[in-house]
Amino acid sequence: MNEKELENKLHAVLSSVKAAHPNMNIENVAEFIKYNEWKLAVEVLCENLVEEKLYVSKETYSDLISAAESLNVEKKYWENILVK
């Protein structure tokens, strides 16, 4: 996956999470993406989803994992995310 595809995927994941959980504070994640801190963005987003016990759709989860793997994010960040 090239950088543009990865960035687009991260924006799509973020939009999906925001749509499912409008009260979730994701501005910091959006800022990380904006400044190309993609790995940190994925780690923080995953941590927030797990800590707040929020779910994501199967499609969003798949996209999130695809991005995470491309960025070499450790599995511990996403393995406990709830999928609906």
Side-chain angles (χ1 to χ4, degrees):
M1 173 178 336
N2 69 38
E3 285 188 6
K4 191 62 180 169
E5 291 170 332
L6 183 56
E7 184 178 13
N8 288 340
K9 187 166 284 203
L10 290 172
H11 282 292
V13 166
L14 201 58
S15 292
S16 176
V17 169
K18 188 66 174 173
H21 308 288
N23 295 326
M24 183 178 181
N25 184 351
I26 56 171
E27 285 74 26
N28 59 342
V29 176
E31 286 290 312
F32 294 142
I33 294 170
K34 179 180 177 181
Y35 293 107
N36 298 328
E37 295 287 343
W38 299 333
K39 184 173 182 178
L40 183 59
V42 170
E43 291 170 349
V44 170
L45 180 59
C46 290
E47 285 177 339
N48 290 346
L49 288 166
V50 171
E51 285 175 12
E52 296 182 32
K53 296 182 172 92
L54 300 174
Y55 67 89
V56 295
S57 70
K58 290 178 185 177
E59 181 181 347
T60 299
Y61 183 75
S62 177
D63 286 346
L64 181 58
I65 300 320
S66 173
E69 289 176 339
S70 293
L71 295 165
N72 297 315
V73 174
E74 293 178 49
K75 186 178 180 179
K76 70 178 183 177
Y77 286 97
W78 75 75
E79 65 188 355
N80 293 316
I81 292 175
L82 302 173
V83 180
K84 202 175 207 185

